[in-house]
Amino acid sequence: MPEHTPATQPRSLSGMQPTSDSLHLGNYIGALINWVELQERTDAFYFVADLHAQTVPTDPEVIRRRTRITAAQFIAGGVDPERSAVFCQSHVREHTEVAWILSCQTAFGEMNRMTQFKDKTAKGQNANVGLFYYPILMASDILLYRPEYVPVGDDQRQHLEITRDLATRFNTRFGETFVVPEPYILKESARIMDLQEPAQKMSGSTSSDKGLLLLSDEPSRLAKKLRSAVTDTDAEIRFDPEAKPGVSNLLTIHSALSRRPVDELVAEYAGRGYGDLKKDVAEVVVAAVEPFQVRMAELMDDPAELDRILATGAERATEVASQTRNAVYDAVGVLPPAGGF
């Protein structure tokens, strides 16, 4: 088993559902790049949220395939399983065990006020109990590892707030058991928009194929989508998300992948056309995606090795999660079996 990150480092945790056969560029820039940076200075835990994926009816074989794909994409994107625990949520039983205890500390009205449940059901998603219960399982996912930092985007802020509320409530009633986590707010520059609808966030579920840059797309296809990206009739290249969302999105993508400040890019393109910008953005996107695709192919060609990585990650995660579960059970009065939990 690899040597763990020193316990003196703060701990971070994040997860992603296996909802597609490929992550898109927004996932990569908005999440994976941040994850890779975090593993340099934290004891990092990254999981495939396969239990959360059960809230949407999906073919069992599809979920199994996508679970492996999602884990492989974490690693291909730069997450190092020698440094970070990479695992499946379902492989660590403490996630559901502590979720039940937390649900008994949660008022029905609190869950009824969660906006994501309302938004998703309003859009036609099946209003099952699992979707309603989702924030409690997410709270368990987080609190089990006692992380100091949890990377979140705007759409997850409310879920982190209920997590913080539950941790505080539990600690007040039963004694200090959980760390109340702080949000690690992802940089605003990481917000990647739809290429065809640049006022909307790039999304695997709502974006059209032309608006979506999949990490599995062939380089020529990525370049074609970027060439057809919506801009505007004003030929000036400047960063103005309100007035020029399409151009600003292209500058954001370029800046995130080239690691060059937006202001520097704007100065470089003074007097040049949108075609030059699109061509250069395509080059930096392809340069980032090609090594990702090579590593993905290696991982998917060796499922036994990928499964070994997940098993090692789950073992490491269980070491931490079981200690928290035991403390929670003890706090609420669960009688341990003779041999211990």
Side-chain angles (χ1 to χ4, degrees):
M1 193 168 181
E3 182 179 348
H4 294 171
T5 307
T8 53
Q9 285 190 313
R11 190 175 289 148
S12 65
L13 172 116
S14 198
M16 197 178 292
Q17 288 193 46
T19 53
S20 68
D21 287 327
S22 175
L23 298 181
H24 56 73
L25 194 72
N27 301 135
Y28 178 71
I29 293 175
L32 284 180
I33 287 178
N34 284 282
W35 291 11
V36 172
E37 292 175 351
L38 271 174
Q39 77 180 353
E40 298 296 328
R41 61 182 187 277
T42 69
D43 186 14
F45 290 75
Y46 298 127
F47 67 95
V48 181
D50 54 341
L51 295 178
H52 285 299
Q54 294 290 330
T55 60
V56 179
T58 309
D59 181 87
E61 287 304 317
V62 171
I63 287 184
R64 273 190 279 270
R65 183 184 76 247
R66 287 178 173 174
T67 296
R68 277 203 181 98
I69 287 172
T70 303
Q73 290 181 128
F74 291 177
I75 299 165
V79 171
D80 182 358
E82 295 293 318
R83 300 184 189 180
S84 306
V86 179
F87 61 100
C88 292
Q89 181 187 30
S90 62
H91 294 179
V92 182
R93 67 184 190 183
E94 287 80 3
H95 284 253
T96 51
E97 292 173 340
V98 169
W100 172 253
I101 300 298
L102 291 174
S103 72
C104 296
Q105 307 298 321
T106 308
F108 180 82
E110 287 179 297
M111 289 298 95
N112 208 33
R113 290 191 293 272
M114 299 301 290
T115 56
Q116 274 213 17
F117 177 79
K118 295 178 181 178
D119 292 345
K120 288 181 178 180
T121 53
K123 293 176 182 177
Q125 186 167 333
N126 183 24
N128 55 62
V129 174
L131 184 63
F132 188 75
Y133 183 87
Y134 179 108
I136 301 175
L137 180 55
M138 181 175 172
S140 177
D141 297 336
I142 295 168
L143 296 176
L144 273 173
Y145 300 95
R146 297 172 172 164
E148 283 87 343
Y149 302 107
V150 182
V152 292
D154 288 339
D155 59 342
Q156 294 294 335
R157 285 179 189 242
Q158 191 184 34
H159 285 171
L160 187 59
E161 282 307 309
I162 191 68
T163 299
R164 287 168 53 82
D165 290 345
L166 287 173
T168 301
R169 182 180 309 155
F170 192 97
N171 289 348
T172 300
R173 181 174 179 184
F174 299 105
E176 292 296 319
T177 306
F178 295 121
V179 170
V180 180
E182 293 292 334
Y184 177 83
I185 305 301
L186 302 180
K187 293 174 289 188
E188 186 62 29
S189 62
R191 189 175 175 85
I192 305 303
M193 313 306 282
D194 187 302
L195 295 180
Q196 295 299 311
E197 301 286 343
Q200 300 177 16
K201 190 175 179 180
M202 187 177 289
S203 167
S205 58
T206 61
S207 294
S208 67
D209 180 63
K210 289 184 177 180
L212 195 62
L213 293 172
L214 295 173
L215 298 186
S216 61
D217 280 339
E218 292 289 330
S220 59
R221 186 167 180 77
L222 291 169
K224 182 178 180 180
K225 289 180 179 181
L226 284 161
R227 284 196 302 271
S228 64
V230 169
T231 49
D232 52 57
T233 56
D234 174 11
E236 183 184 5
I237 296 176
R238 69 178 190 276
F239 189 77
D240 185 344
E242 292 296 324
K244 302 174 73 67
V247 173
S248 299
N249 189 40
L250 292 172
L251 287 168
T252 296
I253 293 171
H254 195 322
S255 176
L257 295 178
S258 66
R259 301 302 179 96
R260 296 176 61 191
V262 168
D263 289 348
E264 179 182 305
L265 293 173
V266 170
E268 181 178 307
Y269 287 103
R272 298 170 65 186
Y274 292 160
D276 289 342
L277 175 61
K278 291 179 176 182
K279 175 178 176 293
D280 291 348
V281 172
E283 288 180 359
V284 297
V285 168
V286 169
V289 170
E290 282 186 325
F292 174 94
Q293 292 180 348
V294 170
R295 182 65 174 133
M296 270 295 298
E298 292 172 353
L299 290 162
M300 296 307 294
D301 284 345
D302 192 353
E305 173 61 12
L306 184 56
D307 288 353
R308 184 200 65 77
I309 290 171
L310 290 172
T312 300
E315 182 181 345
R316 178 176 162 191
T318 299
E319 288 179 5
V320 176
S322 61
Q323 293 177 29
T324 305
R325 186 274 318 275
N326 292 350
V328 168
Y329 273 16
D330 182 63
V332 300
V334 172
L335 181 68
F341 292 118

